[in-house]
Amino acid sequence: MTLTAAVAERSRIWACPELGLHAVVDTTGSVRLGRPDQDTACLVPLVEITATGHGRLWSGERFIETAIGERLVYRDHETVESAGGGERTTIRLTDAVTGLVAEVLLETGAGTRTRSRSTHLQNRSTRPQSRPTPAGFLRARVRLVNEGSVPVRVESVSTLTLGGIAEGALDGLTLHWADNDWLAECRWRRAPFRDQVVPLSRSAHGHEGRGCFERYSQGSWSTGRHLPVAALTDRDGRAWLWQIESSAGWRFETGEREGAAYVALFGPDDAHHQWQHTLAPGQEFTTVPAVLVRAETGGLDAAFGALTDYRRSIRRDHPDLHALPVIYNDYMNTLMGDPTTERLLPLIESAAAVGAEVFVIDAGWYDDDAQGWWDAVGAWEPAPNRFPGGLPKLLDTISSHGMTPGLWLEPEVVGVRSPLARALPEEAFFRRGGLRVTEHGRHHLDLRHPAARAHLDEVVDRLVDDWGVGYLKLDYNINIGPGTENGPESPGAGLLGHHRAHLDWLASILDRHPGLVVENCGSGGLRMDYAQLALAQVQSTSDQQDFLRYPPIAAAAPTAVTPEQAAVWAYPQPHFSTDEVAFTLTGALLGRIHLSGFLNLMSAEQFALVRSAISVYRDIRREIQDAHPFWPLGLPGWEDSWITQGLHTDAGTLLTVWRRERPGGGSAPADLTIPLPHLRGSHPAPVVLHPAVSDCTTQWDRDRGLLTVHLPRPNTAALLRLATGAARF
């Protein structure tokens, strides 16, 4: 062993062999995270911080190479076993100039073995036991404490930094990220890393570049622009996939450092979110969590499988996540916010007849205002003129049909014409510059204020305890901007404070009403983050009303949310052809089916087709809760004619195949060959589960692991099962 290797061995304080990572203390005392076989020069400090008066050492767009980050030195660390069977390592770093102490919490799951090394440095770690399963994750948070004598105004702080990726082989890296928008969620992009981070002849200049590839949120829609999820993959099937868990601001960046790639994950910052946080002596701040998963083989599919397991591990357990009841919602392409007893009664009867188990009355149930309900919401009282005999009576009718009654609610907003806008104190609302913020006819509650929280507690307790509501669809239809200023705080700090209070409120209503099911909706999928999804049971994936535009959203939804939480609309209509009815139903069968449509006006044949789809879903849903998603053709493009998405389950493989007309007309070929290498050499005997009567045919090439699917007409889809005892996942 060389002297350099011996020093590296003695200074290694934490290692996770399954993720191929270690934390090492270099000769300056800086702690850096990366691969064990790399020079520490490739790596970045474990924590990067900018503060007023303490910026970056190399000015540019990057939020690494910060003055404080370079000054932070190792103090000590400890490792303990967590209650769930994983491990928690805390590494403490100090900055002598500001007095800041950064406590970095690194958590690994029960399937990830970590190892802390005894060193010549101060070390209070205990050696954990080995774990047999080589899959897992690394989750991080950073707690900053001001142990100095003067306040420190923090402007950014990283949650996790990782360096040394693909050292010397950056030409083989591919970058993956997802754009998000209203009606166009989960649109994944890919590009060669070198297309985004170009080589700059560092040797000629003596410096790294000033730029990076970055994505970040803007305002209070956490996924209004992009998903807080992205990845790097290489040519050998390795993948590094990350997720930031924030309902407020977040940002990630990746770039080049010393001939290798790095990744840095952040919550809100000053430059992008108007976030600053002043820490007086003795005060502390904790970052939003972030997670990294790494697949040694299998690329993105394997990494998303690991991320799916991680997401399940951090969720609040709930019976809904195991039962996966069929949900009917009256809104999409049906009542569209205009419910009445007369319109709802036939829908209730027909929904129960096709097998729905939850019936949700969506927006408009509170509206008796001649000027419309949008800017008058807030009290959440039923509209008497809409429901002769009262809304509770109609909810009882839903229960009498064997379904759980549900209601739509937008709890964080108060319309400008609502009496609540005048009854609640000014401090209960978002304010900036001393003025109450107004957006699209609404004010925004600050759930840190006791009056705001008490109002919403009263509303939820009344709906659940007095009316028997068992399902709440919680919507969020405005972007309130950077946040709120409560006293001297920055808007971004106010937004983060509100969202943390919002999460606490969600947890509290589930504590009081453990059987209540909560759906997270933000104009579809505009607040699709795992800060909220660790608490909510269901996530709306889109408000897309065109059933031909939904397939790429439905297929890519498991990249953002576990399949059993991903609510996909299925809205068959009486004027649809048989193919169209089957098409809209097929897309929802590998997630959480959100049924809608005028079922009461359908022909007997159409009605039977809907019942058949629901029956198939009820047969397979027990498999969904433990399944891993995969995409045999890769993640879908927005205009793709053929789209596929599958689930690996204990019983085999479920696979959805869509064939759409080409954009601008024309038709894709009627045959598609799909690679399924995990089934090579087996006899999976493909079966079409839906539509029940289908002219979809298949041919299996056992030796090459190729499935050829024939769909003779465009704008058709099928759900297939490939079951074999020889399959391994």
Side-chain angles (χ1 to χ4, degrees), residues 229-415:
V229 184
L232 290 170
T233 58
D234 69 15
R235 292 169 179 161
D236 296 325
R238 284 181 286 264
W240 295 261
L241 175 65
W242 58 88
Q243 168 181 284
I244 305 172
E245 296 157 20
S246 175
S247 297
W250 60 266
R251 175 181 173 272
F252 67 78
E253 67 176 75
T254 182
E256 182 178 2
R257 177 185 169 91
E258 298 287 349
Y262 76 89
V263 173
L265 312 180
F266 299 83
D269 64 62
D270 185 24
H272 302 88
H273 311 100
Q274 298 184 34
W275 179 90
Q276 314 95 33
H277 193 96
T278 298
L279 291 176
Q283 291 185 335
E284 64 181 62
F285 168 77
T286 300
T287 66
V288 302
V291 66
L292 173 76
V293 299
R294 180 175 179 268
E296 183 63 25
T297 60
L300 274 184
D301 282 0
F304 274 116
L307 185 60
T308 299
D309 285 340
Y310 163 77
R311 289 166 169 169
R312 288 167 175 152
S313 76
I314 64 168
R315 286 185 319 209
R316 180 187 180 115
D317 196 21
H318 194 285
D320 177 83
L321 296 169
H322 308 288
L324 310 190
V326 176
I327 301 159
Y328 181 94
N329 182 300
D330 71 17
Y331 184 82
M332 189 59 69
N333 292 347
T334 309
L335 299 188
M336 299 296 292
D338 192 18
T340 66
T341 296
E342 181 181 9
R343 296 187 181 112
L344 284 166
L345 285 176
L347 294 177
I348 292 169
E349 184 174 349
S350 57
V354 297
E357 295 152 304
V358 177
F359 189 101
V360 180
I361 301 174
D362 208 281
W365 57 267
Y366 37 77
D367 177 30
D368 260 349
D369 195 310
Q371 299 181 53
W373 58 264
W374 181 263
D375 58 358
V377 297
W380 308 113
E381 296 285 354
N385 292 332
R386 290 184 172 273
F387 309 108
L391 179 58
K393 180 180 179 181
L394 187 62
L395 297 174
D396 289 341
T397 300
I398 294 172
S399 297
S400 70
H401 280 75
M403 297 183 292
T404 299
L407 287 178
W408 178 94
L409 203 65
E410 195 170 357
E412 292 163 81
V413 302
V414 171

Side-chain angles (χ1 to χ4, degrees), residues 510-583:
L510 290 169
D511 287 342
R512 293 200 308 277
H513 309 290
L516 179 66
V517 177
V518 172
E519 176 189 339
N520 183 50
C521 181
S523 275
L526 301 187
R527 229 168 45 164
M528 194 157 38
D529 62 76
Y530 261 87
Q532 294 182 98
L533 283 168
L535 291 169
Q537 291 71 56
V538 183
Q539 170 67 50
S540 172
T541 57
S542 187
D543 278 351
Q544 177 57 250
Q545 293 178 249
D546 183 346
F547 69 96
L548 293 176
R549 284 292 186 188
Y550 217 129
I553 302 171
T559 64
V561 56
T562 64
E564 65 271 21
Q565 290 177 282
V568 176
W569 288 105
Y571 30 67
Q573 300 294 350
H575 64 274
F576 279 12
S577 69
T578 300
D579 280 350
E580 290 170 336
V581 170
F583 190 96

